Every structure is written in structure tokens, then in C-alpha cells.
């Protein structure tokens, strides 16, 4: 039998996600979000968080499409946690699943809500990156790289690329190699987004 088109497959997945949510209580949905977030903020193996990310995004997107506000609050709580407890998260593997936790919740939104949340998220990340704590700077640069590379929020990120570029260039002066390395990765992602590349595709958690 022929395989369904990608569009049909996407519709099926969305219907499945919405159907699953209809059988869950508000408390159960919150528990599921907490579990997804714990996984993404703690696991380091790319194969593992590459399986978690699309499930978390799918749940958040389905909630947003139903008019729920959970993903909005989850995103703000995630950013608060990362900013407050940055030293508790590993910087290996480009901060592992941290950037994809933020992306999963941010990209679940559309329209003006996406624009507003992108602006507030970038303000928080730029503040973290320009601080004096090395590990907070690394995490912020790594998260910004993930957001810059994702094509689904490219329009929302466009107005923030200049600030992100200035932040990356400024971070080249850091005495810490790990900060300079994260800054170079962000600079490369922004350069690709600015100037384009015929082979460019949206990143997966394996990138």
C-alpha cells in the first residue's frame, strides 16, 4: 500500500494528539509536561532527547490549538529555572536538550503570541549571555543557536538576529574557551540564516 503523504501524516498526528489530550485531566497534563521537561533538562544522549522533543512539542501544540495557555506558562517557568539554576545543567553536547525544551514550547505558538513570546525569551537569553557567569552565558548562547536554526520560527526570530549577532561577536572576547566556542557556533548559525545556504534545513535534536 502507498505511504501517506507528509501532510496527511501530520494531520493524523495532530488528531491523535488532540484526541489523547481530551482524555487527560488538567493535573495529568501538567504532570506530563513536568516529566517531559525533566527529561529534556537532564538527559544528555542526543538519541534520547531527539525522541522526547517532538512528543513534547506535539503536546504543547495541541494544547495551544485548543486555546489552552499551559505552554505559555511552561515556557516562562522553564526560562526562570534555566536562568536561576544554570549551574545545575550540563554544558556538554551544546547544553544537550535545554535548547530543545525552550524550542518545543515556543514553536507551539503562532501569530502574535509567538512574536511576543519570542521577544520576551530573547530578552531573557541576551541578559543571561551578557552576564558575568560563564555557565549562564554558555547556556544562553546554545539556546539562541537552536532558536536561530529552526525554520518554523524564522519569521519571529528575524528581528532579533542583529542583537544575537552582536552578542556572539562580543562573546568572542571572553577569556573562557567554552564561551568563545558557543559564540562561534551561534555566529555560524546566524550567518547561515542571514546569507542562506542551498543545503540548509531545520535542525533536529541530533544536530
Amino acid at each position: 500500500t502507498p505511504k501517506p503523504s507528509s501532510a496527511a501524516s501530520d494531520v493524523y498526528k495532530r488528531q491523535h494528539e488532540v484526541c489523547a489530550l481530551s482524555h487527560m485531566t488538567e493535573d495529568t497534563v501538567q504532570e506530563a509536561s513536568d516529566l517531559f521537561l525533566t527529561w529534556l533538562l537532564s538527559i544528555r544522549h542526543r538519541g534520547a532527547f531527539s525522541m522526547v522533543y517532538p512528543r513534547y512539542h506535539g503536546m504543547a501544540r495541541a494544547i495551544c490549538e485548543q486555546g489552552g495557555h499551559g505552554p505559555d506558562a511552561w515556557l516562562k517557568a522553564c526560562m526562570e529555572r534555566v536562568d536561576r539554576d544554570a549551574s545545575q545543567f550540563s554544558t556538554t553536547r551544546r547544553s544537550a536538550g535545554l535548547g530543545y525544551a525552550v524550542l518545543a514550547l515556543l514553536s507551539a505558538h503562532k501569530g502574535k503570541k509567538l512574536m511576543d513570546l519570542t521577544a520576551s525569551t530573547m530578552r531573557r537569553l541576551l541578559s543571561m549571555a551578557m552576564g558575568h557567569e560563564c555557565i549562564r552565558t554558555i547556556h544562553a548562547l546554545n539556546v539562541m543557536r537552536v532558536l536561530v536554526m529552526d525554520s518554523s520560527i524564522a519569521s519571529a526570530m528575524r528581528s532579533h538576529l542583529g542583537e544575537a549577532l552582536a552578542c556572539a561577536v562580543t562573546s568572542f572576547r571572553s577569556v573562557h574557551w567554552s564561551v568563545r566556542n558557543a559564540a562561534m557556533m551561534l555566529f555560524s548559525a546566524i550567518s547561515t540564516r542571514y546569507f542562506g545556504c542551498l543545503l540548509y534545513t531545520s535542525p533536529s535534536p541530533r544536530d
Side-chain angles (χ1 to χ4, degrees):
T1 58
K3 294 183 178 180
S5 67
S6 59
S9 178
D10 186 59
V11 169
Y12 171 79
K13 288 178 182 178
R14 292 195 182 194
Q15 291 176 336
H16 179 73
E17 289 157 358
V18 171
C19 181
L21 283 172
S22 67
H23 298 288
M24 298 172 68
T25 65
E26 185 175 338
D27 288 342
T28 303
V29 171
Q30 182 63 56
E31 289 174 3
S33 174
D34 292 343
L35 184 57
F36 276 129
L37 189 58
T38 296
W39 283 337
L40 285 171
L41 295 183
S42 60
I43 57 181
R44 302 182 187 180
H45 190 278
R46 292 182 183 179
F49 66 73
S50 69
M51 294 296 291
V52 176
Y53 161 74
R55 305 300 188 277
Y56 194 25
H57 169 72
M59 185 181 79
R61 180 181 58 185
I63 292 172
C64 288
E65 289 177 349
Q66 290 182 327
H69 301 288
D72 184 348
W74 299 342
L75 175 61
K76 292 176 182 176
C78 177
M79 292 303 302
E80 286 283 350
R81 183 176 175 184
V82 171
D83 195 357
R84 181 185 67 244
D85 305 322
S87 61
Q88 296 183 13
F89 306 116
S90 173
T91 58
T92 59
R93 297 185 183 277
R94 301 169 192 167
S95 298
L98 198 159
Y100 289 95
V102 175
L103 178 61
L105 296 172
L106 183 61
S107 61
H109 298 82
K110 295 181 179 179
K112 186 177 184 301
K113 190 65 174 180
L114 172 61
M115 301 295 286
D116 291 344
L117 287 175
T118 299
S120 61
T121 299
M122 284 299 296
R123 282 196 299 270
R124 191 65 172 265
L125 290 171
L126 289 166
S127 176
M128 289 174 60
M130 300 307 291
H132 300 292
E133 188 177 346
C134 176
I135 196 165
R136 290 174 77 248
T137 298
I138 295 170
H139 285 318
L141 293 170
N142 285 335
V143 172
M144 280 192 281
R145 172 184 171 271
V146 171
L147 300 185
V148 167
M149 291 180 67
D150 189 77
S151 60
S152 70
I153 60 170
S155 59
M157 284 293 296
R158 187 173 296 118
S159 62
H160 305 288
L161 291 180
E163 290 177 305
L165 180 62
C167 179
V169 172
T170 299
S171 298
F172 290 158
R173 298 200 297 263
S174 174
V175 297
H176 303 285
W177 177 86
S178 53
V179 171
R180 298 196 303 272
N181 183 59
M184 179 57 73
M185 297 299 292
L186 174 59
F187 179 85
S188 177
I190 295 171
S191 297
T192 300
R193 182 58 71 190
Y194 261 131
F195 302 112
C197 176
L198 291 177
L199 300 180
Y200 184 82
T201 59
S202 298
S204 72
R206 295 181 182 276
D207 291 337

